[in-house]
Structures are given as structure tokens and as C-alpha cells.
Amino acid sequence: MMQTPDTRPIVAITMGDASGIGPEIILKALARPEVYAMCRPLVVGDAGRLREAGGLIGSALAVRAVQTPAEAGFVCGTADVVDLGLIPAGHPFGKVLPLSGEAAFRYIERATRLVEAGQADAICTAPLSKEALHAAGHKYPGHTELLATLTNTPEVSMMLVAPKLRVIHVTTHVGLIDAIRRIEPGLVFRVIERGRATLVKAGFDNPRIGVCGINPHAGENGLFGQGEEEEKIIPAVRECQAKGWAVEGPLPADTLFFRAARGDFDLVVAMYHDQGHAPVKVMGLEAGVNITIGLPVVRTSVDHGTAFDIAGKGIADDGSLVEALKQAVDLAPRRG
């Protein structure tokens, strides 16, 4: 009798910083049958560290070390782990450590190669510590830029998804003055284009997109700022509108996010990090998801940090990781 092929996508879950909450939220998420109903989860990390985390949270899951995805069973009750064996027993929780940063880099590197080789379909990342990453000699602002380098992608965008709100960023991990300098019509257009293409792929016919201004009240016709909206944003919006896209802006950020949450827009384009991050985190930090747009591989992530203050205590919430896995499944290429 012919066996029906398993069409669930294989999602590589990187363990993140071993001294943070990544190991425990991964085990909590993998205890949920609904996760296995939608995907084949495969942790890329350290089996020993996951077992330690399992002891902290009283997990009944078995942790099974594998070397390749082909060895994994993908059965609820057992966490399959591509085991890199980098973290020694008793490694501290709650501290910034170079070894944790080095391991976090290696996990994401291995997961990227698995997807590129067709052995996994998407990547879902637990949080890493930028400070630990830098201490290990990897000078990246975060996952987004690291993945862009690993995949030789010249330009990517960060999209945050929370209940009732989606936000894509024109600039991210740079200072505010540098962000304003970097914003220019070509970049704004490319970010809108990437965000729109992602929503179209997800089933939106002609997504409604609201574009933030830079200054208070989006400059209010030159009253605030030095003409940044007219110089940097309006040409890109007009180019989008000429293509028949439902793009509006620049709009005052203080009301645009309210309108988007109300349902007026499917996507908000934020000009800089805090302009986009703050509203999303107010809407739902525990359920927020970070998606890197423009990579040749699908990557989603929790929208929170390593939480060193509670790491190792077994109390971290896995809600954002479960949401990130759902987004990874929705964006992953179809199998079968």
C-alpha cells in the first residue's frame, strides 16, 4: 500500500541564546499537539541544553539528537534536535556569554544551510543576545542582518505582525539621525513593494497600505521638519499609486496605527525602528511575530528578547513562538 506523502512543512527552529529563554519556550511550544498538526518542527541547537531546560519546566518531552532532518521522527512527545553540541552541562542562564553568542550564530548558520539544501522549508528563530553575538566576534545588529549576509541578500526588510496590526520598516537597527539620512524614495518604494508582495502571496488581492511620515503630523505641509516627506516619501508613494496599488501617505503616525488596528489598512510602513516597534508591542508583545522579508528563505521569529532576568526559571511564555511557527507555516513553500 502506497504511503501518503507528508506535506507538513519542516520548520527549523533555532535555539537562540542558550543562556536566555529560548530552550524553555521551545520545549513548551513542542508540547502542543497543534504545532505538530501544522508542521514538522526540527530544533537546531543543543540537545543537552534542551534536556536541562526540560528539567526546569518539568517537561515530559523526550529530546532526541539527530544529525540530519532525515533522521527525525516528527512525532509529538519527542523533540527532534539537530545537535551541534556546543553548550557544556551547567552553562549559566541569565548571563551575556561569548559562547552563547557563538552557538546562536552556528544555529542560524546551520538552519540556513538546511533550507538552502531543501532539507527544511522555513526558519523560526528563538531570541539571541546582540551583546553576546558581538562578544563572540559576529558584529551584526541582529538576526535580520545576519541572515541577509548568510544568504548573500543585499537588502531585506523587517515586518512585525501582531493581532490586528502588520508593520514593515524602512530602517531598523540604526540611530534616529542615521535612519532619517538613509530614507530615500527608492528605498521607500522597495520596502512597500516587498511588503505588498508578501501580503499578495498570503492571499490579499490589493492590500491597503498606509505610509507613515517622518515628522509630527507628517510634516503638515512643511510646518514641521525640513521637507523630508516631500523629498523622501511622496515620490515613492506616487510611484506605487501609478501602478494601481492601494497606497496612501505620508500619514501622521499617531493616527495611522489606530486606523490600521481598526481595519482601515492591511499594512503600515514605518520609517524607523521605534515608530513601528512601539505600537506593535503595545498591541501584543506575547503574540507578536517578526518576519524577515526579501530573503530567499522564509524566516519568522518571536518578537521579544532573551529575557535574561527570568531565564532558567521556567516561567517564560511560549505564545509568541507558537505564533511565529504559524506564520512560518503560512509562508513556507508547499510540499507534495
Side-chain angles (χ1 to χ4, degrees):
M1 186 174 180
M2 182 174 285
Q3 190 174 18
T4 303
D6 193 339
T7 58
R8 294 173 299 162
I10 296 174
V11 180
I13 307 170
T14 58
M15 202 175 75
D17 192 295
S19 297
I21 61 173
E24 58 195 89
I25 63 172
I26 287 172
L27 284 184
K28 287 181 180 180
L30 296 189
R32 298 177 182 241
E34 63 265 30
V35 168
Y36 283 82
M38 66 182 176
C39 70
R40 287 177 282 177
L42 178 70
V43 184
V44 180
D46 271 77
R49 189 56 160 183
L50 284 174
R51 293 187 186 107
E52 283 185 90
L56 292 171
I57 65 174
S59 174
L61 290 184
V63 175
R64 181 170 178 261
V66 300
Q67 293 305 306
T68 67
E71 299 173 20
F74 302 117
V75 176
C76 189
T78 298
D80 296 299
V81 188
V82 174
D83 183 20
L84 272 63
L86 299 173
I87 303 299
H91 189 68
F93 281 98
K95 294 184 178 181
V96 175
L97 298 168
L99 178 56
S100 297
E102 178 64 28
F105 175 84
R106 297 300 168 193
Y107 304 151
I108 194 70
E109 181 182 50
R110 177 67 66 86
T112 301
R113 302 308 173 220
L114 289 174
V115 175
E116 289 178 334
Q119 295 178 290
D121 302 297
I123 299 169
C124 182
T125 57
L128 56 70
S129 162
K130 298 176 181 65
E131 190 177 351
L133 189 69
H134 290 188
H138 303 292
K139 306 296 185 180
Y140 299 95
H143 270 122
T144 302
E145 297 82 3
L146 170 55
L147 281 159
T149 299
L150 288 172
T151 58
N152 296 311
T153 305
E155 189 174 273
V156 296
S157 298
M158 176 187 292
M159 181 186 288
L160 301 182
V161 179
K164 301 182 180 180
L165 193 61
R166 301 176 195 86
V167 183
I168 193 167
H169 293 69
V170 174
T171 65
T172 50
H173 295 118
V174 293
L176 183 55
I177 292 173
D178 291 332
I180 293 170
R181 288 196 189 109
R182 290 188 188 191
I183 297 166
E184 52 86 17
L187 176 60
V188 174
F189 174 79
R190 293 191 299 275
V191 170
I192 296 171
E193 184 178 41
R194 279 192 287 269
R196 184 181 185 276
T198 298
L199 293 191
V200 168
K201 181 181 176 182
F204 290 80
D205 183 27
N206 190 15
R208 299 161 299 163
I209 300 172
V211 182
C212 290
I214 295 172
N215 294 295
H217 302 184
E220 202 164 306
N221 297 316
L223 183 62
F224 302 113
Q226 299 178 15
E228 289 86 359
E229 279 75 18
E230 289 77 6
E231 175 192 346
K232 297 171 177 287
I233 301 174
I234 289 175
V237 171
R238 287 177 175 162
E239 185 176 356
C240 294
Q241 292 170 340
K243 292 178 174 292
W245 299 351
V247 177
E248 186 178 344
L251 299 170
D254 58 357
T255 54
L256 175 52
F257 287 98
F258 168 78
R259 293 179 61 195
R262 186 177 65 185
D264 293 355
F265 295 97
D266 302 306
L267 179 66
V268 173
V269 180
M271 291 295 127
Y272 51 90
H273 184 282
D274 285 11
Q275 187 181 59
H277 277 61
V280 168
K281 293 189 176 184
V282 168
M283 294 295 291
L285 179 61
E286 72 285 349
V289 177
N290 181 330
I291 305 171
T292 306
I293 306 299
L295 292 170
V297 299
V298 171
R299 179 261 174 165
T300 67
S301 177
V302 295
D303 187 31
H304 58 70
T306 51
F308 283 147
D309 57 325
I310 63 169
K313 298 180 180 179
I315 60 174
D317 188 280
D318 65 326
S320 183
L321 180 59
V322 173
E323 289 299 319
L325 285 166
K326 290 178 182 175
Q327 292 286 341
V329 170
D330 287 345
L331 295 172
R334 300 298 98 183
R335 283 184 175 252

